[in-house]
């Protein structure tokens, strides 16, 4: 009897935590936005036919370059998910919900 290799999967909640951790490491990111609305979280992982998409909602520090921080968050999230979960998301979308003073 031949042995079959097992397959592991990582929950969307864990992937969302990884993405949030990576985003928080970027200079200019104040926080990952949270919402009181049901189904609206600061990080959303969408899986469709094996394709993974990441959506992040962020609060940035006043004076941060929105395009620059957005690109850096996209890069960091991709690298972090590749390293930690062997996952290459199809997209990493960043939405800036708030800009405010440094916390």
């Amino acid at each position: 009897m031949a042995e079959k290799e097992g397959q592991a999967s990582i929950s969307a909640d864990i992937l969302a935590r990884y993405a949030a951790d990576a985003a928080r490491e970027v200079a200019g990111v104040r926080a990952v936005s949270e919402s009181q609305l049901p189904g609206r979280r600061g990080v959303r992982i969408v899986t469709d036919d094996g394709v993974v998409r990441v959506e992040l909602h962020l609060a940035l520090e006043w004076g941060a370059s929105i395009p620059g921080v957005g690109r850096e968050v996209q890069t960091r999230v991709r690298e972090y998910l590749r390293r930690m979960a062997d996952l290459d998301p199809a997209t990493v979308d960043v939405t800036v919900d708030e800009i405010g003073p440094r916390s």
Side-chain angles (χ1 to χ4, degrees):
M1 181 194 253
E3 286 187 34
K4 291 187 178 181
E5 223 176 286
Q7 194 172 21
S9 64
I10 300 173
S11 76
D13 285 340
I14 297 297
L15 294 175
R17 275 192 219 149
Y18 285 166
D21 288 347
R24 284 187 201 101
E25 292 175 358
V26 175
V29 173
R30 227 179 64 202
V32 174
S33 301
E34 295 297 332
S35 174
Q36 302 304 321
L37 300 173
R40 294 295 307 168
R41 297 170 47 182
V43 181
R44 206 169 111 199
I45 305 293
V46 178
T47 306
D48 187 25
D49 289 333
V51 176
V52 175
R53 292 178 173 76
V54 180
E55 179 183 313
L56 295 111
H57 290 262
L58 303 175
L60 301 187
E61 294 174 354
W62 182 260
S65 165
I66 294 170
V69 171
R71 280 190 298 274
E72 182 65 20
V73 166
Q74 288 173 319
T75 299
R76 288 266 180 102
V77 167
R78 276 187 193 288
E79 289 173 355
Y80 202 87
L81 291 177
R82 280 185 195 130
R83 187 175 68 244
M84 298 298 288
D86 195 26
L87 175 73
D88 189 13
T91 60
V92 177
D93 297 322
V94 176
T95 301
V96 175
D97 289 336
E98 181 183 337
I99 297 175
R102 290 186 173 108
S103 38

